[in-house]
Amino acid sequence: MNDQRPLNPLQRILRSLGPAIITASVVLGPGSILSASKIGHTYQYQMIWVLVIAVIMMIAMTAMSARLGIQLKGTICDELASRAGRPIAAATGIILFLIAACFQFSNNLGILAAVEPFIDKDSNISLAIIIGMNVFIIMALYGFKHLYRHIEKLMKLLVGIMMVAFAINLFQVQPDWLAALYGFIPSIPEGTFETILPKWDASAGKVADNMTPLVALYATTFSVAGAFYQSYLVRQKGWTRNDLKQGLTDSVLGISALGLITMMVLITAAAVLYQNPDVTKLKSIADVAKGLEPGFGKWGMIIFSLGIFAGAFSSFLVNAMIGGSILADGFGLGGYIDLKWPKLFTVLALLVGMAVAIFTKTQGKAPVGLIIFAQSLTVLGIPMLAIAMLWLATRADMKGENKIPAWMKILGFIGLFSSVFLALRTAVKLILPLING
């Protein structure tokens, strides 16, 4: 006799969420919240359609990565090593680790941005929080067994907190819902695409780029590195060929949650910040929180900060895991977070991020050289990850029961072309100051 009660719709949805909710968690960090807020501030509701396209691309790439994780004999780095040589796999791991480690400091600062409205900024509390969070994560890495299960539960909790927090704020500001619906219809505000690539503004002595907010929104939603790690997560989940359908459902639901939360932030910013004379520039999450505070009130601000904290903490943990796991696997040392070397390299990524965040707080400025180095790595690294996945997905042996659906590969190639375009734009922005400086 089966004594199990039938699941209600909410329980079925929660059961369907797995690896992709972890992928969504790392993507939905401070950068995603900041870029969505900038779009709302600059374009109001007009560019929601860009977010929708980015979500569709991310679903396709994540679903394709999940199928590779289930269907390939080894991990992606294992397959790259056996088919293309260990140096290719090692280079993939090194580049992804360096990108994750370099940008890990922004996740530390994102956590601070969520709590700084409620603490004394001139005290040492900020430094204590940074150090305490990193120590806590390191202790958890070594204190828990079967880490995947605990991380999945934690990410579901954090995504739920973000969903509720940003939804409360969204309905509190009472946006123009009809205008928001029109934002799903593609339109291009005048002057947005005057130049496809950045150009040098001699009069201002800096790079001019009208597309920066749009590029940031797309790039922080369509994360090739996050999708790449999905193949590792489904293996740690223990999924087999019997779970292929589940893998697609997981990708659709998990990444759709990412898109929904980002859209709520965008619409909230559009309602409060658009043409707001008191808000001229948004350079950080703290600027966003400060600009939204008059529209929220004290309790609304606390709720918004809770959402920021959940987003920053989820990215804080998973970003370091991605860098550590892929680096270890690139060298053939295993890619599962429960293993020795992935843990050690994850700790290394955490320590790098903590050190840079402490430097930034004590010196009062971001490490420009490190940011440029990380941006330079993305020029090579992100397209390389997309090429690796598509190369494996189109191999001669990926036929029959191993065949990757055509729609995934088509959207995957579109995603590759877009990542190459974004890498080209990044390269131009890095080169122009050197040429004209």
Side-chain angles (χ1 to χ4, degrees):
M1 180 181 293
N2 188 357
D3 295 328
Q4 291 184 341
R5 297 180 180 179
L7 300 176
N8 62 45
L10 178 60
Q11 289 174 321
R12 285 198 295 270
I13 291 175
L14 290 175
R15 284 282 185 90
S16 298
L17 291 173
I21 206 66
I22 301 177
T23 299
S25 298
V26 69
V27 176
L28 189 56
S32 183
I33 294 172
L34 178 60
S35 62
S37 299
K38 284 184 175 181
I39 289 293
H41 172 243
T42 306
Y43 299 105
Q44 201 177 23
Y45 307 104
Q46 283 182 277
M47 291 300 185
I48 292 177
W49 62 274
V50 175
L51 175 61
V52 173
I53 291 175
V55 168
I56 292 172
M57 300 303 302
M58 186 61 180
I59 288 174
M61 192 67 84
T62 302
M64 182 174 70
S65 179
R67 291 186 73 99
L68 290 174
I70 291 173
Q71 295 178 181
L72 293 174
K73 291 182 179 179
T75 64
I76 288 183
C77 281
D78 286 338
E79 295 295 322
L80 289 176
S82 63
R83 298 170 187 243
R86 178 57 65 185
I88 297 296
T92 301
I94 292 171
I95 289 175
L96 191 48
F97 173 82
L98 290 174
I99 293 173
C102 287
F103 285 120
Q104 181 68 8
F105 84 95
S106 66
N107 294 319
N108 284 265
L109 298 181
I111 289 176
L112 286 185
V115 300
E116 279 187 342
F118 315 104
I119 64 174
D120 182 2
K121 296 181 182 179
D122 296 327
S123 68
N124 292 322
I125 296 178
S126 295
L127 297 181
I129 290 173
I130 291 176
I131 295 172
M133 292 299 300
N134 282 276
V135 170
F136 172 77
I137 293 298
I138 292 172
M139 291 176 63
L141 284 174
Y142 286 94
F144 288 103
K145 295 182 178 180
H146 309 297
L147 277 167
Y148 174 86
R149 183 169 65 247
H150 297 292
I151 291 169
E152 182 183 299
K153 290 179 179 178
L154 178 60
M155 292 306 112
K156 286 181 179 180
L157 173 62
L158 293 175
V159 169
I161 290 173
M162 284 187 276
M163 190 84 71
V164 172
F166 292 134
I168 290 173
N169 289 140
L170 173 64
F171 287 100
Q172 182 178 346
V173 301
Q174 298 179 351
D176 185 339
W177 293 108
L178 183 59
L181 286 175
Y182 276 114
F184 285 85
I185 302 173
S187 63
I188 302 174
E190 185 177 353
T192 301
F193 296 123
E194 286 182 353
T195 56
I196 299 299
L197 294 177
K199 63 180 181 180
W200 183 256
D201 185 346
S203 61
K206 63 180 182 180
V207 176
D209 185 9
N210 292 334
M211 290 178 59
T212 295
L214 290 176
V215 169
L217 179 68
Y218 183 86
T220 55
T221 305
F222 176 57
S223 169
V224 177
F228 188 92
Y229 193 55
Q230 177 78 356
S231 66
Y232 286 79
L233 292 171
V234 296
R235 296 177 75 90
Q236 292 186 75
K237 178 78 170 178
W239 280 354
T240 65
R241 292 181 185 277
N242 295 329
D243 300 296
L244 287 175
K245 184 178 179 181
Q246 178 74 6
L248 177 58
T249 302
D250 171 58
S251 297
V252 172
L253 290 176
I255 305 305
S256 294
L258 155 69
L260 178 60
I261 294 172
T262 307
M263 190 177 300
M264 289 193 291
V265 174
L266 191 159
I267 294 175
T268 300
V272 179
L273 303 180
Y274 181 67
Q275 293 186 342
N276 186 333
D278 296 326
V279 181
T280 56
K281 291 184 179 180
L282 299 174
K283 294 184 178 180
S284 66
I285 288 293
D287 290 339
V288 174
K290 184 178 179 181
L292 292 173
E293 186 173 6
F296 286 163
K298 179 181 178 180
W299 284 106
M301 195 62 221
I302 293 175
I303 294 172
F304 183 75
S305 296
L306 183 62
I308 293 176
F309 179 87
F313 185 76
S314 61
S315 295
F316 174 91
L317 171 59
V318 182
N319 178 69
M321 280 175 46
I322 291 176
S325 298
I326 305 302
L327 177 61
D329 201 39
F331 283 99
L333 301 172
Y336 296 163
I337 192 60
D338 287 311
L339 299 177
K340 172 185 175 181
W341 286 105
K343 280 186 180 180
L344 286 174
F345 289 141
T346 296
V347 170
L348 180 59
L350 287 167
L351 294 177
V352 170
M354 181 181 70
V356 177
I358 291 174
F359 171 85
T360 302
K361 289 299 297 181
T362 55
Q363 299 300 314
K365 59 182 180 179
V368 176
L370 185 66
I371 293 174
I372 292 175
F373 176 65
Q375 289 174 334
S376 302
L377 287 172
T378 62
V379 172
L380 173 65
I382 299 305
M384 182 177 174
L385 299 179
I387 289 171
M389 285 191 286
L390 286 165
W391 182 68
L392 291 173
T394 54
R395 292 296 82 206
D397 57 325
M398 298 300 284
K399 295 181 180 179
E401 63 177 4
N402 287 333
K403 185 177 181 180
I404 304 294
W407 69 270
M408 289 185 190
K409 289 187 285 189
I410 291 171
L411 290 179
F413 275 107
I414 295 174
L416 170 60
F417 296 144
S418 69
S419 68
V420 170
F421 172 69
L422 295 179
L424 177 61
R425 285 179 51 82
T426 301
V428 170
K429 291 185 76 170
L430 293 173
I431 292 171
L432 282 176
L434 299 177
I435 296 176
N436 297 280

